[in-house]
Amino acid sequence: FDLDFESSLEPSRPDDYWQRFLSFNAGWLFLFLFAPALPAQTGFSQQYIIDENDETLVVHCLHSDTRGFIWAGTRGGLYRFNGRQFVNTLPDSLRGRYSVTAIASDSSGRLWIGTADGTIAHLHNGQWKVFSPEEGLPRKSISDICFDRQERLWFAAVDEGVYVYAGKRLTNINTDDGLPDNYVYTLQSMPDGQVLAGTDRGLARIRFGMDGKNIAVFSSREGLPDNIVRTICPSAEPGVYWIGMEDKGVFRYDAVRNQGAGMQLQKPWSFGRVNDMVAAGNSLWVATEEAGLLEIIPGGQESLVRPGASPSNGRTGKLLTDLSGQLWCSVPGRLVRSTILQLGFLDSIGHE
């Protein structure tokens, strides 16, 4: 990973990006004003092929860094959006060798990645530096990375539970410590320094400190509809999180009280696995395995689920909102960018 990326970072590009963004949204305004004369779902999104040499490329993770750059981790390496297209930041000799499965930024803005072979690295002064703790790294796929309030590095490794790097020491947290399962899909840092982990056997709230490891479990025994937790998303309500599951859709979880936060869908969930979620305004946008992109509108104990202006009727993978408020959706081989408000507007047109 001792590679020179200085030329690919283009420090001046964010300014150019915002100029293009303003021009782009001037076109959105025109389309919005004259939408009644246009066919539904025309001109309200922009699609980007990630790699023209591999149009089946699947995005494992999406990330927006502190400067607004969009990064996509794939089996073919790490791609960065330069304002016009996605560019593979790895040289030809390494493309395909590193499958990037997790991306995060620390408080200083450094970009961190995890790979399918267990490598973790960060970008420093234009070069990738491999994270090499004295204890070594697991040789398993890194499923997620996050940083807690104290800027400690946390990551999940497939079948090995969770790791935390604190005081220059790497500590493993697994089922021997009370983790419900060692297969961890996702991590979510909390404002109080704790970390939520979604596993194959429920949700774990982990506190790590001077008193050691403390884990509170929330699973089907405590009221979780489905033990397989695929993704976690903060809600607008402090201490409350959206939980995306394998078979039973979404659930609101009160992490402070370690209990459900009250929400019931109008109809049973029939859209397959939840792959990702982002909260925006009063809506939750959900990427599903079988029904594309969905919008959930919470309302008391009832929540309306309706189709969004989905780029795919089938699988929608990862979601991201960028600094300009636009929504990015991954589908096989490409990414689709659109504005969240226009997604809802398109849906209303399509159902008149």
Side-chain angles (χ1 to χ4, degrees):
F1 272 96
D2 190 17
L3 306 171
D4 182 7
F5 282 84
E6 196 66 42
S7 60
S8 72
L9 291 177
E10 302 175 356
S12 62
R13 181 61 67 180
D15 294 336
D16 295 338
Y17 172 81
W18 291 116
Q19 292 176 7
R20 285 190 295 274
F21 166 70
L22 292 174
S23 299
F24 176 76
N25 278 302
W28 282 126
L29 178 60
F30 173 83
L31 288 171
F32 181 84
L33 293 174
F34 294 96
L38 299 175
Q41 302 191 20
T42 298
F44 286 87
S45 62
Q46 195 165 4
Q47 298 190 19
Y48 301 91
I49 295 176
I50 303 168
D51 191 329
E52 293 183 354
N53 296 318
D54 186 358
E55 294 191 6
T56 66
L57 205 61
V58 174
V59 173
H60 298 310
C61 47
L62 280 175
H63 180 70
S64 176
D65 67 19
T66 55
R67 294 186 297 168
F69 286 116
I70 306 298
W71 299 82
T74 76
R75 67 167 181 265
L78 182 66
Y79 290 77
R80 182 178 60 83
F81 185 60
N82 65 10
R84 297 186 305 271
Q85 61 185 1
F86 280 88
V87 178
N88 196 329
T89 59
L90 296 180
D92 292 341
S93 61
L94 294 179
R95 294 180 185 182
R97 286 178 55 186
Y98 294 104
S99 178
V100 177
T101 53
I103 312 175
S105 292
D106 61 24
S107 62
S108 65
R110 288 184 302 179
L111 191 75
W112 291 71
I113 62 170
T115 70
D117 68 355
T119 299
I120 294 179
H122 68 271
L123 191 61
H124 180 67
N125 293 331
Q127 292 187 331
W128 287 107
K129 300 297 182 182
V130 175
F131 173 60
S132 302
E134 182 178 342
E135 298 82 0
L137 290 173
R139 308 313 298 173
K140 297 291 186 69
S141 180
I142 306 300
S143 55
D144 206 359
I145 299 174
C146 76
F147 292 87
D148 65 17
R149 185 180 61 181
Q150 302 176 48
E151 276 303 298
R152 298 178 299 187
L153 169 68
W154 294 68
F155 62 90
V158 172
D159 281 336
E160 292 200 10
V162 177
Y163 288 82
V164 56
Y165 187 65
K168 296 185 178 181
R169 180 181 178 182
L170 186 65
T171 301
N172 180 225
I173 302 172
N174 56 36
T175 52
D176 292 338
D177 305 301
L179 197 70
D181 195 87
N182 286 334
Y183 204 108
V184 179
Y185 295 98
T186 184
L187 299 174
Q188 175 65 53
S189 60
M190 298 174 60
D192 63 1
Q194 297 184 88
V195 169
L196 296 175
T199 81
D200 255 348
R201 294 185 179 179
L203 187 67
R205 189 187 65 201
I206 308 170
R207 185 176 71 245
F208 182 77
M210 297 295 294
D211 58 345
K213 312 166 187 177
N214 186 284
I215 301 173
V217 176
F218 186 79
S219 66
S220 57
R221 292 181 179 180
E222 290 75 34
L224 187 66
D226 183 349
N227 273 336
I228 302 179
V229 176
R230 303 287 305 207
T231 183
I232 305 169
C233 173
S235 75
E237 185 178 348
V240 176
Y241 295 83
W242 291 100
I243 308 300
M245 299 167 289
E246 180 77 16
D247 296 317
K248 298 297 180 65
V250 297
F251 181 79
R252 275 170 53 90
Y253 168 69
D254 186 333
V256 177
R257 298 176 177 83
N258 196 38
Q259 64 184 27
M263 189 199 75
Q264 183 176 348
L265 298 178
Q266 290 182 339
K267 296 180 180 179
W269 186 265
S270 60
F271 309 112
R273 184 176 71 207
V274 173
N275 292 321
D276 208 357
M277 303 178 293
V278 294
N282 295 324
S283 296
L284 178 72
W285 295 90
V286 183
T288 70
E289 187 70 16
E290 299 176 7
L293 183 64
L294 299 177
E295 180 186 13
I296 294 181
I297 306 173
Q301 293 297 311
E302 293 290 329
S303 297
L304 173 66
V305 178
R306 67 182 186 182
S310 179
S312 169
N313 291 327
R315 186 181 192 275
T316 301
K318 295 299 179 179
L319 300 178
L320 173 74
T321 50
D322 62 22
L323 294 181
S324 66
Q326 295 185 94
L327 180 69
W328 293 78
C329 314
S330 76
V331 294
R334 66 191 192 279
L335 283 164
V336 181
R337 177 176 66 171
S338 188
T339 67
I340 292 175
L341 290 178
Q342 284 162 338
L343 284 174
F345 178 66
L346 276 173
D347 179 66
S348 66
I349 292 175
H351 290 78
E352 287 180 351

